[in-house]
Amino acid sequence: MNIITYPERNTWADLLKRPTLQTESLRETVLEILNRIKFEGDKAVLEYEEKFDKVQLNSLLVSEEEIAEAEKKVNIELKAAITLAYNNIRTFHAAQVFQGKKITTLPGVTCWQKAVAIEKVGLYIPGGTAPLFSTVLMLATPAQIAGCKEIILCTPPDKEGKIHPAILYAAKLAGISRIFKAGGVQAIGAMAYGTESIPKVYKIFGPGNQYVTAAKQQVSLRDVAIDMPAGPSEVAVLADETANPVFVAADLLSQAEHGTDSQAILITTNETLLKAVTEEVERQLAQLPRKEIASRSLSASKLILVKNMDEAVEMTNEYAPEHLIIETKDYMEISERIVNAGSVFLGYYSPESAGDYASGTNHTLPTNGYAKAYSGVSLDSFIRKITFQEITPEGIAIIGPAIEVMAANEQLDAHKNAVSVRLNK
């Protein structure tokens, strides 16, 4: 890992840069695939599945028999873990249900909001180097609580045309039965445009590689909404002299093993801890099955020594990490000063893995500094809020004259007249 000591404030912008996604260079390839999906539907999806996932499929839809078969293949220990996680995720997100309240702004003028579920949503679950069945729970659970009428899921099959049993089990547990064997750009295109098998949705959720990211950005320009901009996953650990270097190293490595473009950063006020973490990362790395992936990720990761906690907090907010772990003696006080982060893990016993799987919070979070402006996925991500107003004769008599004056001064006479005809009655 790269070690930086006492960096000057004017160097932070370069220091905190992420590994860059070259989505511009992918644009031509992504556009070609999306256009074929748009005009050729299932035929193009099946051809791209053969090309990219190396599988010949007779049908894109996962059958009920396949779902039942998958359930038998998931061992009881994993079923229990998935169920525990599902219950916690459901409890946390159910508490976010919007309670609309009618407000009387003036006598006879009543306004309120109503939460309405997005009717059709599509969930993308990557295959790649790990079956992300946890992401199924994170997306499907709030979608069900919100009351989305149509929820579909796309995920790439293996070379035998099978979906990982844990993905299918998690989907069934979360109430999703319409699952399609499609990955990558072709899955995003199918959900954006609709095909003979895969219905068009109004909003697409889920992580993916740089091709999936580029495809989501492209279709979001005019065809469908997406959850948020996304990039490689990342973690920042904010630590002082009280932190356990074994814990800190484990937290950095748990992020680094996600992928070669992931980033892990330690920001600390203690040089002794920094040195101990450096040694501990090397020790733990040697024992990891995914050490090659983690090693490449660590080459873009950084251990940063700063002068004091004020500087550490300021640097953390500037970085705006997807995941932030605060391992300091006064972690609760420090957390109050954090304004830019996707999800925050407080204290020595709150690893990022808890939020990734089972504490209940959502792990679909803004990356690449977007935490400065975006929230992670929540129940609100699956709903829209519609405003209503009811105005009585008394109400229009009170606010009508003000509306007439404002409309006249904006030279919108029809707006003024819409009020005047009512006042004249």
Side-chain angles (χ1 to χ4, degrees):
M1 298 181 73
N2 303 288
I3 297 175
I4 300 98
T5 58
Y6 306 119
E8 294 296 327
R9 182 66 179 79
N10 60 7
T11 68
W12 287 10
D14 288 333
L15 175 62
L16 298 175
K17 281 182 179 177
R18 273 81 166 173
T20 54
L21 279 178
Q22 300 298 328
T23 53
E24 295 82 5
S25 62
L26 309 177
R27 188 170 183 273
E28 187 175 333
T29 300
V30 167
L31 280 175
E32 180 184 346
I33 297 171
L34 290 175
N35 282 331
R36 281 204 60 201
I37 301 300
K38 187 173 186 179
F39 295 107
E40 298 179 35
D42 281 358
K43 177 179 179 291
V45 176
L46 291 167
E47 288 182 10
Y48 283 122
E49 281 304 310
E50 184 173 2
K51 180 177 181 179
F52 297 127
D53 291 328
K54 311 302 180 186
V55 59
Q56 289 187 332
L57 299 172
N58 295 320
S59 171
L60 294 173
L61 181 67
V62 175
S63 68
E64 292 182 8
E65 291 75 20
E66 287 177 292
I67 296 173
E69 179 187 347
E71 186 172 0
K72 296 174 185 175
K73 292 182 179 179
V74 180
N75 66 60
I76 192 168
E77 185 181 30
L78 181 54
K79 283 180 180 177
I82 289 174
T83 301
L84 180 145
Y86 168 72
N87 288 335
N88 286 351
I89 293 164
R90 184 169 186 83
T91 298
F92 182 73
H93 289 78
Q96 300 168 17
V97 172
F98 176 74
Q99 302 293 334
K101 185 178 179 182
K102 289 191 175 183
I103 304 296
T104 299
T105 56
L106 282 170
V109 182
T110 307
C111 306
W112 66 97
Q113 282 186 317
K114 176 183 175 183
V116 180
I118 298 172
E119 292 181 287
K120 301 178 181 182
V121 298
L123 316 180
Y124 182 74
I125 308 300
T129 59
L132 297 185
F133 55 85
S134 58
T135 303
V136 177
L137 301 178
M138 296 292 174
L139 299 178
T141 306
Q144 288 286 6
I145 295 170
C148 301
K149 289 181 179 179
E150 188 170 5
I151 307 169
I152 66 169
L153 187 153
C154 286
T155 189
D158 62 21
K159 293 178 182 179
E160 296 179 356
K162 300 288 187 182
I163 303 298
H164 193 283
I167 288 179
L168 295 182
Y169 178 75
K172 181 180 178 182
L173 182 64
I176 309 301
S177 58
R178 300 192 69 192
I179 303 164
F180 297 93
K181 300 174 183 179
V185 177
Q186 60 269 28
I188 302 304
M191 290 189 284
Y193 307 128
T195 71
E196 297 89 336
S197 298
I198 302 174
K200 173 179 170 56
V201 300
Y202 300 154
K203 190 172 183 178
I204 297 173
F205 295 80
N209 61 22
Q210 56 187 347
Y211 287 93
V212 169
T213 298
K216 285 175 67 179
Q217 290 173 341
Q218 183 63 39
V219 297
S220 72
L221 295 177
R222 65 174 65 91
D223 301 299
V224 67
I226 62 172
D227 46 5
M228 68 187 79
S233 194
E234 62 201 27
V235 69
V237 179
L238 176 56
D240 64 10
E241 71 281 359
T242 67
N244 185 326
V246 176
F247 293 0
V248 174
D251 291 333
L252 296 173
L253 286 168
S254 72
Q255 188 62 54
E257 74 171 358
H258 261 294
T260 57
D261 52 4
S262 295
Q263 188 173 53
I265 285 183
L266 169 65
I267 300 173
T268 183
T269 54
N270 188 265
E271 187 172 5
T272 301
L273 175 74
L274 186 148
K275 291 178 179 177
V277 168
T278 304
E279 295 171 2
E280 189 60 31
V281 164
E282 292 299 322
R283 187 189 70 79
Q284 292 185 29
L285 176 63
Q287 301 171 24
L288 292 178
R290 294 167 66 91
K291 62 183 176 184
E292 185 177 339
I293 291 174
S295 294
R296 291 175 63 186
S297 169
L298 291 175
S299 67
S301 298
K302 291 158 186 173
L303 306 176
I304 305 172
L305 180 65
V306 295
K307 298 171 186 174
N308 52 55
M309 192 52 66
D310 287 341
E311 196 170 83
V313 170
E314 186 180 356
M315 180 179 285
T316 300
N317 282 325
E318 178 62 28
Y319 183 61
E322 176 190 16
H323 307 96
L324 171 62
I325 305 172
I326 304 178
E327 301 184 48
T328 65
K329 58 179 177 293
D330 53 351
Y331 59 81
M332 197 60 73
E333 178 186 330
I334 295 296
S335 71
E336 293 297 320
R337 300 165 61 188
I338 298 300
V339 294
N340 297 326
S343 190
V344 183
F345 302 79
L346 300 174
Y348 311 108
Y349 292 91
S350 302
E352 178 213 323
S353 309
D356 275 353
Y357 291 106
S359 65
T361 61
N362 207 292
H363 76 203
T364 310
L365 302 164
T367 64
N368 203 34
Y370 282 112
K372 291 178 178 177
Y374 285 82
S375 305
V377 165
S378 67
L379 192 64
D380 275 354
S381 306
F382 295 88
I383 65 172
R384 298 152 293 133
K385 291 174 182 172
I386 303 172
T387 59
F388 293 80
Q389 51 252 287
E390 180 188 22
I391 303 174
T392 66
E394 178 188 15
I396 199 67
I398 294 173
I399 68 171
I403 298 171
E404 287 181 310
V405 170
M406 294 173 75
N409 278 271
E410 288 191 347
Q411 299 180 26
L412 296 173
D413 290 343
H415 280 65
K416 176 178 179 292
N417 190 55
V419 173
S420 300
V421 296
R422 288 171 168 83
L423 292 178
N424 293 335
K425 288 288 184 181

